[in-house]
């Protein structure tokens, strides 16, 4: 299981639903239609994108954010 290094330096368990929620909010902010399965697919693509950045089972939240922007 991955751990996420948050902006304040604290560490939390990785939760893919937070990525899905961020993607959903991005679609809604642009008033774009989406299907839940599309959101799930994109969240998985994000995890594949940031996988090389994982060090010692940890990933920085900024790296996750960069991957979300890269995938979208």
């Amino acid at each position: 299981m991955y751990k996420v290094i948050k902006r304040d330096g604290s560490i939390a368990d990785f939760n893919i639903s937070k990525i899905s929620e961020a993607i959903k909010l991005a679609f809604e902010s642009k008033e774009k239609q989406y299907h839940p399965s599309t959101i799930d697919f994109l969240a998985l693509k994000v995890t594949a994108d940031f996988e090389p950045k994982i060090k010692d089972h940890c990933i920085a939240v900024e790296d996750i954010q960069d991957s979300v922007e890269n995938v979208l």
Side-chain angles (χ1 to χ4, degrees), residues 42-67:
L42 291 171
L44 289 173
K45 285 192 61 107
V46 168
T47 61
D49 187 80
F50 72 64
E51 193 275 332
K53 301 174 189 174
I54 296 170
K55 304 273 192 273
D56 298 323
H57 302 286
C58 291
I59 182 80
V61 72
E62 291 88 355
D63 290 331
I64 296 172
Q65 182 176 352
D66 290 347
S67 290

Side-chain angles (χ1 to χ4, degrees), residues 14-61:
F14 174 75
N15 185 344
I16 196 167
S17 66
K18 290 187 177 189
I19 294 172
S20 296
E21 185 62 24
I23 294 169
K24 185 176 118 181
L25 290 172
F27 272 73
E28 290 172 354
S29 73
K30 294 294 185 177
E31 299 180 1
K32 300 290 184 182
Q33 293 184 350
Y34 62 90
H35 189 276
S37 62
T38 302
I39 300 298
D40 292 341
F41 174 74
L42 291 171
L44 289 173
K45 285 192 61 107
V46 168
T47 61
D49 187 80
F50 72 64
E51 193 275 332
K53 301 174 189 174
I54 296 170
K55 304 273 192 273
D56 298 323
H57 302 286
C58 291
I59 182 80
V61 72

